[in-house]
Amino acid sequence: MKFFNPKPALLLSIYLLTGLVAFAQSKKVDFWLTNLDKSALFRQQPALPVQKLGKNTAIEVPVVSINTKKKFQEIDGFGFTLTGGSAQHLMGMSESARAALLKELFSTAGNGIGMAYLRVSIGASDLNEKVFSYDDIPQGQTDPEMQHFDLGPDRNDVIPVLKEILAINPKLKILGSPWSPPVWMKDNGDTRGGSLKPEWYDAYARYFVRYIQDMQKEGIRIDAVTAQNEPLHPGNNPSLLMLAKDQAVFVKNHLGPAFEKAKISTKIIVYDHNADKPEYPITILDDPEAKKYVNGSAFHLYGGTIDALSKVHDAHPDRHLYFTEQWMGAPGNFEKDFPNHIKNLTIGATRNWARTVLEWNLTSNPQNRPFTDRGGCDRCLGGVTIDGDNVTRNAAYYVVAHASKFVLPGSVRIDSGTNATIGRSPDEQMLNVAFLRPDGKKVLIVMNDSDAEKKFTIQDGGNFVVTSLKAGSVGTFVW
């Protein structure tokens, strides 16, 4: 996996002689910590004093070095999917409790973690009480002109919650993903599985257009859409099988031209499935007529390895990458889930060109409901669990918080690498990723992926700080 970009040992190769290190007391590095034993859960630590490299400075611990001259992708944001079930839990809270929780989730002020990106389902996902589309009509009928299109059930929960969130963060970006078209468009006439009939490709493109237009009328701008959630997983409810060749035809001959005709600037993102099939988006992007409408490719990680994103980037470096979903299973295992997602998503996905890192559902209730029948997820643990007005913050909350509060939209990933002590090989147990924010501040996220506490140095040009992390612990450093 491309977690690291180790450089040849850039070690400060001067051993202790006589000099003392000068402290630059006016400069501090802010430090937020999570430990696997939960002794610290995204807790701010005393700021670290910045030291200057002196003539006789000796550093004999691993060095995480920052290089602001080497830049990679811009970041759009970190967040979750606001499923219908998540919105339902939020709407079940008192107004004051909901307002306080949403402020914590979407503001950077105070204890806010500042999420800047959400994914929503176009129609129902498997975490709705019931399956629905926005154009459900009696069996045997069709509606190619979308005369019966209606946002329907989303007006009860998803739309009101989004409006409250946008009042807190008007710059929030929203990605829409469909789990299934209306059943009258499908060859099996069922919400589960089947494929989109070719004669309804144009109608389905109009369905997307109407969704974007009707959400805009509600004051909700959809920044991007994916053509299909998990197109190679027709066993969910709802779901759709959409092979790469079919998605290419749909995008280049129907969805792209429909957006162009309606003057819609919403981005089109392809694939939106596991990292074990990078050839799926590459096949679409290899078609220049399809590629001209495609902003990028989206990935999940229920299969494959995260470096597959870089394979797609290398094949088409002029198109973007997005990480859009990964679940945690109830009842949760903090000691495994938290480091796994930091390693593979927060660090792994961004080091492999992802502009977003999104966890799965934002909220759950103690029973992990609602979910659809015939395939809905009955073990999907939310970022937070809501029980009335009581809120429990789960592992995914802390995973997102370590990046979302500090890596603001418009930040750019910069080069960071791990150098070992003098005479040793690069230390690949101090996983890390770094960003340069629009305001000029730098953010470094470090995870100790070893089984012992480690002392290490963060080096930025002629300045450095020394700190340590327990085994499995994660620190976010800001200066």
Side-chain angles (χ1 to χ4, degrees):
M1 296 184 187
K2 298 186 179 181
F3 287 122
F4 303 98
N5 218 352
K7 310 180 190 84
L10 165 89
L11 287 172
L12 319 160
S13 56
I14 309 171
Y15 280 79
L16 279 172
L17 294 172
T18 56
L20 296 175
V21 175
F23 281 76
Q25 296 292 353
S26 61
K27 294 183 179 180
K28 302 277 186 180
V29 170
D30 292 330
F31 173 22
W32 294 70
L33 173 68
T34 294
N35 291 326
L36 287 192
D37 62 6
K38 299 186 180 180
S39 58
L41 287 170
F42 193 56
R43 185 183 300 168
Q44 188 167 13
Q45 306 299 298
L48 303 171
V50 174
Q51 305 178 48
K52 291 286 186 181
L53 293 175
K55 182 177 179 181
N56 297 315
T57 302
I59 297 179
E60 297 190 23
V61 294
V63 178
V64 180
S65 57
I66 307 299
N67 178 11
T68 58
K69 294 181 181 179
K70 190 171 183 180
K71 296 180 174 67
F72 301 90
Q73 80 278 17
E74 186 174 312
I75 299 299
D76 285 341
F78 298 81
F80 284 86
T81 297
L82 178 71
T83 61
S86 292
Q88 181 179 321
H89 302 142
L90 288 160
M91 292 302 292
M93 303 177 80
S94 66
E95 288 187 17
S96 60
R98 181 172 65 251
L101 178 56
L102 292 180
K103 185 177 180 181
E104 176 185 339
L105 293 172
F106 294 96
S107 170
T108 56
N111 69 336
I113 65 171
M115 290 192 299
Y117 208 103
L118 280 180
R119 182 175 180 233
V120 297
S121 60
I122 300 176
S125 77
D126 61 312
L127 292 187
N128 279 82
E129 280 188 324
K130 297 179 180 178
V131 177
F132 66 88
S133 79
Y134 302 131
D135 199 359
D136 291 330
I137 53 179
Q139 187 174 0
Q141 296 184 19
T142 61
D143 184 26
E145 299 303 322
M146 300 295 116
Q147 293 179 355
H148 299 285
F149 186 97
D150 194 331
L151 294 174
D154 281 355
R155 298 187 188 278
N156 300 323
D157 40 46
V158 172
I159 289 173
V161 170
L162 284 176
K163 288 181 178 180
E164 292 187 29
I165 294 170
L166 288 167
I168 298 167
N169 180 6
K171 295 183 179 179
L172 178 86
K173 288 188 176 181
I174 301 169
L175 166 70
S177 299
W179 266 240
S180 173
V183 295
W184 57 266
M185 297 184 186
K186 301 175 71 174
D187 61 9
N188 67 345
D190 194 351
T191 58
R192 179 174 172 170
S195 297
L196 182 64
K197 289 183 177 181
E199 60 262 37
W200 298 127
Y201 278 20
D202 271 340
Y204 196 35
R206 283 192 287 273
Y207 182 89
F208 277 86
V209 169
R210 277 295 302 275
Y211 170 70
I212 292 164
Q213 292 174 335
D214 285 22
M215 290 292 275
Q216 187 64 62
K217 289 176 183 176
E218 297 290 338
I220 300 168
R221 183 183 182 276
I222 303 300
D223 181 71
V225 295
T226 61
Q228 173 59 37
N229 170 70
E230 298 190 343
L232 300 179
H233 176 36
N236 204 349
N237 190 21
S239 59
L240 177 80
L241 176 66
M242 182 180 270
L243 302 178
K245 62 182 179 61
D246 298 323
Q247 191 164 120
V249 170
F250 177 61
V251 168
K252 73 177 177 180
N253 294 336
H254 305 277
L255 187 61
F259 278 19
E260 199 169 58
K261 181 180 179 181
K263 295 181 170 55
I264 287 175
S265 60
T266 298
K267 304 177 185 76
I268 296 173
I269 298 171
V270 298
Y271 192 41
D272 205 9
H273 207 173
N274 291 333
D276 57 351
K277 300 290 183 183
E279 63 271 18
Y280 187 116
I282 290 173
T283 296
I284 298 173
L285 294 171
D286 282 347
D287 182 339
E289 291 304 307
K291 180 177 179 176
K292 69 181 182 181
Y293 295 114
V294 176
N295 174 271
S297 311
F299 284 87
H300 307 174
L301 196 59
Y302 306 115
T305 55
I306 198 64
D307 57 345
L309 278 67
S310 283
K311 294 178 182 177
V312 180
H313 172 267
D314 292 346
H316 292 275
D318 56 346
R319 292 298 184 267
H320 299 313
L321 278 299
Y322 301 87
F323 191 89
T324 51
E325 180 187 317
Q326 194 71 7
W327 83 313
M328 290 188 185
N333 184 329
F334 191 92
E335 290 187 356
K336 291 183 178 179
D337 295 338
F338 177 76
N340 176 274
H341 282 230
I342 290 286
K343 176 178 180 177
N344 287 296
L345 309 186
T346 308
I347 296 175
T350 54
R351 289 195 76 109
N352 285 279
W353 298 95
R355 296 169 69 93
T356 63
V357 178
L358 308 180
E359 293 280 344
W360 180 217
N361 58 315
L362 178 58
T363 80
S364 55
N365 69 9
Q367 295 76 39
N368 304 310
R369 291 184 176 273
F371 53 86
T372 60
D373 62 357
R374 298 190 303 145
C377 180
D378 61 356
R379 293 178 295 120
C380 283
L381 184 65
V384 299
T385 298
I386 295 176
D387 186 5
D389 283 352
N390 297 315
V391 177
T392 302
R393 291 153 189 82
N394 301 317
Y397 170 94
Y398 297 106
V399 170
V400 171
H402 264 280
S404 63
K405 186 175 180 70
F406 311 107
V407 186
L408 307 179
S411 298
V412 176
R413 183 170 73 86
I414 55 176
D415 190 37
S416 62
T418 308
N419 301 297
T421 55
I422 294 172
R424 299 180 188 172
S425 61
D427 188 324
E428 295 194 355
Q429 293 178 321
M430 303 306 290
L431 311 183
N432 61 85
V433 65
F435 306 90
L436 179 65
R437 298 196 327 197
D439 63 3
K441 287 192 173 184
K442 298 158 194 170
V443 181
L444 174 69
I445 301 170
V446 182
M447 173 184 165
N448 179 1
D449 194 33
S450 74
D451 57 5
E453 184 171 355
K454 285 206 170 190
K455 188 177 182 181
F456 65 101
T457 297
I458 300 168
Q459 187 249 331
D460 179 13
N463 301 319
F464 71 97
V465 298
V466 179
T467 187
S468 64
L469 288 173
K470 294 180 179 179
S473 294
V474 174
T476 297
F477 304 89
V478 184
W479 68 97

